[in-house]
Amino acid sequence: MSRMGPFRIMVTAALFGLLSTSLVSIGLVKAAHSFPHRAAVTSPPVADRFPALRSNHLALLIANSNYPDADTVMADVSAGADALANVLRNHGFLVIVVRDATRAGMTEAVDRLNAAARPGSVVLVYFGGFGVQSEGQNYMIPVDAKIWQERDVRRYGVNIERALSDLSASGARIRIAIVDASRRNPYERRFRNYSHGLAPIDADSDTIVITSTSPERVVDDADASPNRFVSGLGAELGPPSRSVEEVFAKRAAAGERSRREQQYSVPAMEPSEKS
């Protein structure tokens, strides 16, 4: 018995240690589910709500106003998206607003919209924020973009033309794209002498494209509050008796005529004039 004493003591100590570890683990698991500072998830992410929507008029508004590389927060973008959302709701649209979206967030939101679009529906996408053109294509810039060279635009940006092409395959009868992104931005300064604005956006005959200014130009008062571009769109829409697609189709046609007239009557601006 005397020789078994130390062994029994060792076994007892080991069992006690295992039991103590198990109790501590159970306590930690329980505590992890009862932290008072953890916010409870009461609803799915914004983009996840698209599949539940059933409407012939859907709108996705992406408002990127808080870029880490920008000098200030663009309050006009957020306010403009809110104003446009209210107008669209008055015209019967189901509207989802996504704010300060990353590249993954923007891509997912557009994919969800494509999945929710019904045959014969009207689908509208608004983007407010920074846009940059590269190799003749236009890119919406997410808030998490890391752009130091032009190739980074294509790597981290979301291609506008590609997004519109995906929408055209959704079965929607009319697609409307409103691009409020012709702004001087902090990214082009790193690899260009001046902001190029956006390139002409190619789209099919059933897609209406409206931009805040003509191709190759930037809006000098883009940060004005209220957002003059969006305010103008709201004023044109007017009462719900006029359909959004009809009003925007006329505006897009007028803008295209104006662009062609300027192209043939106004000499191109030198880089020094654009800077």
Side-chain angles (χ1 to χ4, degrees):
M1 295 292 290
S2 60
R3 286 187 299 176
M4 292 297 292
F7 177 76
R8 288 178 178 175
I9 293 174
M10 292 176 62
V11 171
T12 302
L15 291 174
F16 181 79
L18 290 173
L19 179 60
S20 300
T21 302
S22 299
L23 290 173
V24 170
S25 299
I26 293 172
L28 288 176
V29 171
K30 182 178 181 181
H33 290 280
S34 60
F35 284 164
H37 64 275
R38 293 183 64 175
V41 178
T42 57
S43 62
V46 171
D48 290 341
R49 296 204 295 267
F50 264 122
L53 300 180
R54 293 293 180 267
S55 174
N56 286 325
H57 289 74
L58 295 176
L60 168 63
L61 277 55
I62 302 175
N64 285 358
S65 60
N66 191 7
Y67 287 87
D69 290 328
D71 296 331
T72 60
V73 175
M74 296 183 292
D76 66 298
V77 171
S78 182
D82 289 338
L84 182 59
N86 289 333
V87 173
L88 292 174
R89 290 188 183 105
N90 289 336
H91 281 261
F93 276 79
L94 285 173
V95 182
I96 294 295
V97 180
V98 179
R99 304 180 191 277
D100 297 330
T102 62
R103 188 180 193 281
M106 291 173 62
T107 301
E108 181 185 5
V110 174
D111 288 345
R112 297 279 184 176
L113 176 63
N114 287 338
R118 303 166 67 180
S121 61
V122 176
V123 175
L124 182 148
V125 176
Y126 164 86
F127 174 73
F130 290 136
V132 179
Q133 64 163 292
S134 177
E135 297 184 351
Q137 296 284 294
N138 297 289
Y139 295 82
M140 301 176 283
I141 306 302
V143 296
D144 63 342
K146 299 176 178 61
I147 298 174
W148 293 94
Q149 303 177 55
E150 183 172 352
R151 65 186 180 187
D152 294 332
V153 174
R154 301 187 295 274
R155 179 180 180 183
Y156 295 107
V158 177
N159 188 291
I160 295 177
E161 283 82 0
R162 189 172 304 156
L164 293 179
S165 177
D166 291 343
L167 276 176
S168 68
S170 68
R173 175 175 57 88
I174 297 292
R175 281 84 59 187
I176 303 171
I178 302 175
V179 185
D180 183 14
S182 301
R183 302 163 181 269
R184 301 186 192 280
N185 61 79
Y187 305 106
E188 286 183 286
R189 303 172 193 163
R190 298 168 179 172
F191 57 85
R192 290 176 179 162
N193 294 327
Y194 63 94
S195 295
H196 284 47
L198 299 180
I201 298 175
D202 293 328
D204 59 37
S205 58
D206 292 324
T207 301
I208 302 167
V209 178
I210 300 174
T211 58
S212 53
T213 190
S214 303
E216 315 294 342
R217 295 178 180 271
V218 294
V219 180
D220 289 325
D221 61 346
D223 296 332
S225 184
N227 188 312
R228 296 181 182 179
F229 170 59
V230 175
S231 296
L233 294 179
E236 287 185 44
L237 287 175
S241 58
R242 303 179 64 191
S243 72
V244 170
E245 52 268 39
E246 176 187 358
V247 173
F248 284 166
K250 290 181 178 179
R251 180 189 174 100
E256 179 62 20
R257 287 194 301 269
S258 176
R259 185 182 71 82
R260 290 178 179 176
E261 291 172 359
Q262 291 179 5
Q263 181 179 359
Y264 291 105
S265 63
V266 178
M269 296 177 66
E270 296 297 329
S272 60
E273 296 179 272
K274 294 183 178 181
S275 60

